[in-house]
Amino acid sequence: MSNDDTFYGQRSAFPVSNSIELGDLDQQPESGEQYLLRVMMEADATPRFAVATNITRPLSNSAAPPAGSKDEQSENVLIDAVLPSSVWLQQFAQYFRDQRSRLVQIISNTALPDGFALPDRGNQREWKSFCYENSIDPLNSKNILYALFAMDQAMAIRLIGWMTSWLAIDKLQRAESMWLWYLMLKIDELLDHDDTHTLRQLCRKLRDIRENISQIIGNNSADIIQHRGSEIAAVNILIASVTRGYGQRDLE
């Protein structure tokens, strides 16, 4: 996978060696990689989207059609196709808490290897290289857990802010979705005003990405499932992490 990878449909979004097994699902994961593998499995429970089949034209910034017109109805259907269900949203807060508890336990049982070091706290370029490179090679997947163990709250929030600025306007890469998910599980539930502002800025960026993906899809709505379904699901998971996980529901 390259840093320019756009589509999620071909391969898993999480780098885990093929030799790792799920283990007993009633017990806590025995390793960081086993935890990642279970997250991959649970991705099957991510939002299901209704594919709009009667789209006559893509979304645009042109003047709105008369109320109740066919074009207006088509636009609403397309928007619905990239949104999670209300039932899924209602269940997400508990799912988020459960995942945080699991990750906290995994991190607490993690030991840093000799020689492991995080990039300099203020060096955004080094952090960007570290995040993307360690998301490509399955052999480096443990470095992600080591980083989560080693970084403090302030660095996690700073990295969320940096990653928000790295996001493209019309796609979400695997590396980005994975790091943002784990970073939001890593940080404390009680946030100050500046921390909350950082999460809200991320959420707004993700909403813009979702809207732009809707416009790109246009008449080719079947591509939601074939190529971008998992990407849209990841966007919605991250948005819900802010709105439901951290109580910023006005951004839904």
Side-chain angles (χ1 to χ4, degrees):
M1 181 192 73
S2 70
N3 287 352
D4 295 327
D5 189 17
T6 302
F7 299 135
Y8 283 55
Q10 293 88 349
R11 292 165 56 186
S12 165
F14 302 96
V16 179
S17 170
N18 291 333
S19 64
I20 302 301
E21 298 182 353
L22 285 171
D24 186 351
L25 297 180
D26 293 328
Q27 303 296 322
Q28 290 293 335
E30 297 177 356
S31 68
E33 285 194 319
Q34 190 176 81
Y35 170 78
L36 292 175
L37 183 62
R38 293 185 187 183
V39 171
M40 289 166 52
M41 181 190 71
E42 291 176 1
D44 290 338
T46 54
R48 294 295 184 259
F49 302 94
V51 180
T53 57
N54 295 315
I55 305 300
T56 58
R57 66 180 181 86
L59 292 173
S60 68
N61 294 323
S62 59
S69 70
K70 181 177 180 180
D71 282 345
E72 183 185 62
Q73 294 169 3
S74 296
E75 290 191 2
N76 289 335
V77 170
L78 180 58
I79 293 173
D80 288 345
V82 298
L83 295 175
S85 70
S86 59
V87 172
W88 184 88
L89 284 172
Q90 291 169 6
Q91 297 173 344
F92 185 84
Q94 183 60 52
Y95 174 79
F96 187 80
R97 288 191 292 269
D98 292 344
Q99 291 299 308
R100 173 188 278 127
S101 297
R102 293 174 66 183
L103 183 61
V104 167
Q105 182 165 349
I106 288 295
I107 291 175
S108 67
N109 293 327
T110 298
L112 292 182
D114 294 339
F116 179 85
L118 294 175
D120 182 80
R121 294 179 68 89
N123 194 322
Q124 185 174 167
R125 178 177 296 180
E126 286 186 8
W127 270 103
K128 186 174 185 180
S129 176
F130 177 84
C131 290
Y132 286 97
E133 288 179 2
N134 281 299
S135 304
I136 295 173
D137 187 351
L139 297 178
N140 292 334
S141 61
K142 288 185 178 181
N143 287 340
I144 299 171
L145 288 168
Y146 296 151
L148 293 170
F149 175 88
M151 74 174 67
D152 57 17
Q153 173 87 355
M155 188 64 240
I157 291 291
R158 177 180 294 182
L159 188 53
I160 289 173
W162 284 346
M163 192 156 284
T164 300
S165 69
W166 300 338
L167 298 178
I169 62 172
D170 57 1
K171 66 180 179 179
L172 181 69
Q173 298 179 31
R174 288 190 184 94
E176 296 158 349
S177 63
M178 181 172 62
W179 273 100
L180 287 169
W181 170 242
Y182 291 136
L183 287 169
M184 282 194 280
L185 292 177
K186 158 80 176 177
I187 60 179
D188 298 334
E189 293 183 77
L190 298 178
L191 305 175
D192 63 24
H193 175 77
D194 290 339
D195 296 344
T196 301
H197 176 74
T198 298
L199 291 187
R200 290 177 66 86
Q201 289 296 97
L202 169 63
C203 189
R204 292 188 179 99
K205 184 70 172 285
L206 291 166
R207 290 178 60 183
D208 288 343
I209 291 173
R210 184 170 62 185
E211 181 179 346
N212 287 330
I213 291 174
S214 296
Q215 295 185 23
I216 291 170
I217 290 170
N219 292 338
N220 301 316
S221 57
D223 286 347
I224 297 175
I225 299 300
Q226 184 177 0
H227 296 302
R228 309 197 73 163
S230 296
E231 181 186 5
I232 295 168
V235 171
N236 280 306
I237 287 170
L238 295 176
I239 291 174
S241 296
V242 177
T243 62
R244 301 287 172 143
Y246 290 98
Q248 306 301 305
R249 293 183 61 172
D250 61 298
L251 292 177
E252 287 185 344

